[in-house]
Amino acid sequence: MAQHSHDPNAVAMSIAARAAFVMIPLLSLVFVLWTAASVPLPASIQAAWVPALGVNFNFHIDGLSLLMLLMITGVGTAVFVYAGGYLEGHPQQNRLYILLTLFMFAMIGCVTADNLIVLFLFWEMTSLLSFMLVGFNHEDASSRKSAQQALVVTGSGGLALLAGAILLGQVMGTYSIQEIISRVPGTEPSTALTTALLLILLGAFTKSAQFPFHFWLPNAMSAPTPVSAYLHSATMVKLGVYLVARLDPGFGDWPLWQWTLQIVGSITAAWGMLLALRERDLKRILAWSTVATLGTLVMLVGMDGQGATVAVGALLLAHALYKAPLFFVAGNVDHGTGTRIIDQLGNLRHAMPWTAAAALLAGFSMAGVPLSFGYVVKDVITEAKTVSDVLEFANVANTIFGAVAVAVAAVAAVRIFWRHPGHNDTPEAHEGGLTLVGPPLVLAFIGVVLGLFPFLADWLVGVASQAMSPRAEAVAVHFAVHAGPGFLSLLMTLLVGVAVFWFWDPLHRLFDRWASRFDAISMVTNYDRFIQGIPRLAALSTRALQHGSLPGYSLLIVAFMSAFMGVILVAGWHHWVWPDWVDPTAGFVVACLLTAAGGVLAVLQRDRFVLLLAAGLVGFGSAIFFTYTGAPDVAYTQLVVESVFVIVVASVLLNLKKRGMGMGHERIVTSRWALPVAVVFGGVLTLWMLVAVGGAFDPALTQFFAEKSVPDAHGRNVVNVILVDFRALDTLGEITVVMLSFMAALPLLQAVRVYMRRNKPGTNVPPGDQA
């Protein structure tokens, strides 16, 4: 931790700045509460942005958005207060506040945007800001690596989300999320719609750390504790859950949607909790339990039935109220002892009583102890599973999740505060100030209140459920706990969880040995291989493509263009209009034969001089072709330019050979692929010309130039008028390019002149030209 500042003026300014920053989420929370009380839901705001593309600033607030807004601003207020104490005296504290403020507004934009493209913009803002927040301690190599990993995974998912959003908007004819939700149930599934759905799910899974993208979230725990509590428990990682919950009314009846969410969510929930057993760092243990909770949320969204949507809303709220305090507790332990390793901690209740109290209250809710809000939520989840078609594997995963969640809560709330570590080598501990203990106590206390009086959450969870199941009847949520099969199931989960906690260390050793066998194929290892493979692939491609051979570059470009144009030809083969056969004239046949002969000879020749002459046949054949197609001026220009080019270059080659510069008749080494690539390119280009000729000619442009040349440009030569008047800037650009090319080649020409003068007998080269 940074040293505290002892300058009274600096301290006063720091407190004032902290208070000003805290007011931002606090006033936002007040505004959200006022909106919920005074504005009927749902409410919409629309503003034009790019109407030609269907992209508008449309915002929609309903029960689901309201629930997310309350978590963003409510937990955000606690995080801002906590950050002031956690980073007190840190020279970069204001930078953290600025980043958290920007992140909060990006999150607000995400959960209120009603346009897929606008949502994507805010979505990517959260990814970029998360990168900067995770890498806040950028002088630490591990922080930089974790930030990079989070950005690569979530940023790649964001690109998939963008592709899916564009495709979905094109298929549905709108980018409005509400309109898409209303249209999808009446739309027949198609390949394009399914592809869009899978791309959007890929983006959501990366953001919410679903398997196999689960590994980035625990690694992001190198971020400061306020960042972990805000981004990785209450807000950003729930964006993926929010997105699938938002789209669930439209796609919820699709078997692909249900199976994908249930399978991926179940695997994530079970695997996340098992990996928590492998950790010894308290913060990483909590992070893995967050991954498991996110998997449970995704699984619940994939379940059908109104009870599942109630469970999603309730778990979203409960998780924010117990996980954020537990992250605060982990930060307080680290702040007060200098370590988060559970083997080195124990009996901290004496030195940190208020933190112990917050951990106990939040731990009760996470474990689902009766009279806690977590217990109410687990009862709702159990009831939802009984009335919904759910995979048996999902039941097993939920059982593992529930049992290990109890154990994780006990580790965070009981082991490090109420149990002796078994040795006396424990670090000195001290309690933090009010800003460190106040936020976890307040959030955990709210969870207790909702556990004692669950009806207080009826309306909020009800309107959120209604937003996720708008086609259902009015949702009436009554959190009533009753004895029955659900109660017995929860009781068994508690007992198994207590057993897991009691045998935590043996299970840790057993699972660590078992899991270490698969480290070579784990997602973390594969990610590292992927990152390390990027420079290797770049080096390989550079050696293959950037080899320094100009003929090789030309061959590659021509081959790519042949393949590209060929694919387009094949794709539209049945749609092209082919021209009818017309008997060619003698001049046309001669031009084609001369051009073909020049091309074939140019490919087969290995002598530069003969190659130049053979290539000249192509130019002369083109001039004859222009003559017989009604373009004598172009034919004359082609003939003159080709003649001058061949004569000048031939003279240069002969002169260089005579002077011994090795540029004469030595053989040229070409690739064996040159001839087939040239033949393919010629064939593809011929087919393209046939397609172009076969299409109906549009005379609009010709008529325009014919009508406008004399009155507007005062010229009867239409070609000259086009070049000088209608395409004046384009022609000027071409002249500029030629002039710049000449200026670039001027030093080379001067070097040749100096070389020729130096080797001329009886000539003294001036000293200034010898360079």
Side-chain angles (χ1 to χ4, degrees):
M1 297 298 296
Q3 295 294 325
H4 291 231
S5 174
H6 298 287
D7 184 358
N9 293 329
V11 172
M13 293 178 62
S14 176
I15 294 175
R18 285 159 50 184
F21 278 112
V22 169
M23 291 303 295
I24 297 175
L26 181 59
L27 292 177
S28 300
L29 174 61
V30 172
F31 180 75
V32 171
L33 292 173
W34 175 83
T35 302
S38 59
V39 178
L41 297 180
S44 299
I45 301 174
Q46 298 183 358
W49 184 26
V50 191
L53 299 178
V55 181
N56 299 314
F57 276 116
N58 295 346
F59 295 94
H60 179 84
I61 302 176
D62 56 11
L64 181 59
S65 299
L66 178 63
L67 176 60
M68 293 295 296
L69 288 172
L70 287 174
M71 290 191 297
I72 293 168
T73 56
V75 177
T77 302
V79 167
F80 275 57
V81 173
Y82 183 84
Y86 188 81
L87 293 178
E88 184 177 4
H90 195 288
Q92 298 296 321
Q93 186 183 71
N94 286 346
R95 178 165 68 92
L96 179 70
Y97 272 129
I98 292 173
L99 292 175
L100 287 175
T101 302
L102 293 174
F103 177 82
M104 182 187 71
F105 286 118
M107 280 294 306
I108 291 174
C110 277
V111 301
T112 57
D114 187 41
N115 187 286
L116 285 174
I117 306 302
V118 176
L119 184 146
F120 165 77
L121 294 178
F122 287 114
W123 185 285
E124 287 302 275
M125 285 178 62
T126 62
S127 296
L128 293 174
L129 290 167
S130 172
F131 167 74
M132 290 184 280
L133 286 166
V134 173
F136 179 76
N137 298 318
H138 52 80
E139 67 281 354
D140 184 7
S142 63
S143 295
R144 296 195 301 270
K145 182 178 180 181
S146 298
Q148 178 199 64
Q149 188 179 86
L151 182 63
V152 169
V153 176
T154 60
S156 301
L159 294 177
L161 174 64
L162 175 61
I166 294 175
L167 187 57
L168 180 60
Q170 293 297 315
V171 172
M172 302 307 301
T174 178
Y175 289 108
S176 171
I177 298 176
Q178 295 302 312
E179 292 185 14
I180 289 174
I181 291 173
S182 63
R183 296 180 186 181
V184 167
T187 304
E188 288 294 327
S190 63
T191 303
L193 192 57
T194 302
T195 303
L197 172 63
L198 294 176
L199 288 171
I200 290 175
L201 286 179
L202 180 61
F205 289 166
T206 56
K207 183 72 79 171
S208 287
Q210 298 299 293
F211 183 88
F213 311 105
H214 56 289
F215 58 93
W216 73 264
L217 179 56
N219 291 337
M221 291 303 105
S222 58
T225 295
V227 175
S228 301
Y230 197 27
L231 277 65
H232 306 137
S233 69
T235 55
M236 189 192 81
V237 292
K238 290 179 179 174
L239 269 182
V241 178
Y242 166 81
L243 182 59
V244 295
R246 173 62 71 199
L247 296 176
D248 187 60
F251 295 98
D253 293 333
W254 285 33
L256 174 64
W257 176 271
Q258 296 178 3
W259 280 66
T260 302
L261 294 185
Q262 288 190 38
I263 292 174
V264 173
S266 300
I267 294 174
T268 305
W271 191 236
M273 276 307 185
L274 289 176
L275 288 176
L277 291 170
R278 199 179 182 186
E279 299 292 343
R280 310 306 285 174
D281 185 312
L282 178 59
K283 203 172 174 184
R284 289 181 62 87
I285 292 174
L286 295 174
W288 280 119
S289 70
T290 297
V291 171
T293 303
L294 295 172
T296 302
L297 285 165
V298 169
M299 179 192 69
L300 290 172
V301 175
M303 293 166 50
D304 58 353
Q306 184 177 323
T309 62
V310 176
V312 171
L315 184 55
L316 280 172
L317 178 60
H319 181 258
L321 291 177
Y322 68 68
K323 189 54 67 67
L326 288 177
F327 271 113
F328 288 149
V329 167
N332 286 355
V333 170
D334 190 17
H335 186 276
T337 65
T339 182
R340 298 192 303 259
I341 305 302
I342 59 175
D343 299 318
Q344 303 175 18
L345 300 171
N347 278 344
L348 293 181
R349 69 183 185 278
H350 302 293
M352 308 177 68
W354 294 109
T355 300
L360 204 59
L361 295 177
F364 281 165
S365 186
M366 180 178 177
V369 175
L371 301 181
S372 70
F373 191 54
Y375 174 74
V376 175
V377 172
K378 288 190 176 183
D379 183 66
V380 172
I381 294 175
T382 302
E383 184 176 351
K385 288 165 53 182
T386 60
V387 298
S388 175
D389 294 331
V390 61
L391 299 175
E392 187 60 32
F393 177 73
N395 283 321
V396 175
N398 189 65
T399 302
I400 297 174
F401 165 75
V404 183
V406 174
V408 170
V411 168
V414 176
R415 174 170 177 151
I416 63 177
F417 290 102
W418 299 85
R419 195 171 112 178
H420 195 279
H423 56 83
N424 295 323
D425 188 19
T426 56
E428 294 292 333
H430 63 273
E431 186 68 277
L434 180 61
T435 54
L436 290 178
V437 299
L441 281 172
V442 170
L443 291 178
F445 180 73
I446 294 175
V448 172
V449 171
L450 293 181
L452 295 174
F453 309 102
F455 63 87
L456 295 175
D458 280 359
W459 179 81
L460 179 60
V461 176
V463 294
S465 175
Q466 180 66 32
M468 289 181 276
S469 53
R471 288 175 292 162
E473 298 295 329
V475 179
V477 180
H478 297 292
F479 292 130
V481 181
H482 53 275
F487 177 79
L488 295 177
S489 175
L490 293 174
L491 183 60
M492 288 298 299
T493 300
L494 283 173
L495 294 176
V496 175
V498 170
V500 172
F501 166 69
W502 190 262
F503 296 101
W504 180 277
D505 292 332
L507 288 172
H508 162 76
R509 291 189 291 270
L510 176 64
F511 185 74
D512 189 49
R513 285 196 301 269
W514 178 79
S516 62
R517 300 176 182 176
F518 301 95
D519 285 344
I521 58 173
S522 67
M523 291 308 302
V524 176
T525 304
N526 288 327
Y527 169 82
D528 291 336
R529 289 171 180 164
F530 170 75
I531 295 298
Q532 294 168 4
I534 292 176
R536 289 198 294 265
L537 178 62
L540 179 64
S541 62
T542 301
R543 288 193 297 269
L545 302 178
Q546 302 296 326
H547 40 65
S549 173
L550 184 59
Y553 295 154
S554 302
L555 184 66
L556 181 64
I557 293 173
V558 173
F560 173 78
M561 290 303 302
S562 301
F564 180 72
M565 294 189 299
V567 169
I568 297 177
L569 276 175
V570 173
W573 190 262
H574 299 289
H575 304 284
W576 306 127
V577 177
W578 303 97
D580 296 329
W581 174 260
V582 177
D583 293 332
T585 61
F588 182 82
V589 172
V590 171
C592 291
L593 292 176
L594 194 61
T595 303
V600 172
L601 290 175
V603 172
L604 298 178
Q605 289 302 317
R606 295 294 182 268
D607 186 280
R608 284 191 173 89
F609 186 78
V610 180
L611 173 62
L612 172 66
L613 298 179
L617 295 177
V618 177
F620 293 132
S622 300
I624 297 174
F625 175 79
F626 293 144
T627 302
Y628 281 87
T629 51
D633 54 343
V634 180
Y636 173 75
T637 303
Q638 175 68 32
L639 184 63
V640 171
V641 171
E642 194 68 36
S643 300
V644 171
F645 176 79
V646 171
I647 294 172
V648 170
V649 176
S651 302
V652 172
L653 289 176
L654 292 173
N655 197 7
L656 291 176
K657 178 181 180 296
K658 185 186 300 183
R659 296 180 179 277
M661 296 184 66
M663 298 290 291
H665 295 278
E666 71 277 6
R667 298 174 62 82
I668 302 173
V669 179
T670 59
S671 172
R672 64 179 182 274
W673 296 102
L675 181 58
V677 169
V679 172
V680 171
F681 181 72
V684 171
L685 196 59
T686 301
L687 291 176
W688 268 100
M689 293 179 64
L690 291 175
V691 170
V693 173
F697 179 73
D698 186 0
L701 192 61
T702 304
Q703 293 175 358
F704 171 81
F705 287 125
E707 294 172 359
K708 301 295 183 181
S709 292
V710 174
D712 290 355
H714 308 287
R716 297 185 180 277
N717 189 320
V718 179
V719 175
N720 289 344
V721 168
I722 293 174
L723 293 175
V724 177
D725 292 279
F726 293 109
R727 289 181 53 198
L729 292 178
D730 188 22
T731 304
L732 177 62
E734 294 173 354
I735 296 173
T736 304
V737 170
V738 173
M739 181 59 66
L740 292 176
S741 301
F742 171 75
M743 293 176 64
L746 187 59
L748 179 62
L749 298 176
Q750 290 176 343
V752 173
R753 178 177 63 85
V754 171
Y755 178 85
M756 294 174 64
R757 292 179 61 187
R758 180 184 301 165
N759 289 274
K760 186 176 181 181
T763 302
N764 294 323
V765 181
D769 290 343
Q770 290 181 357

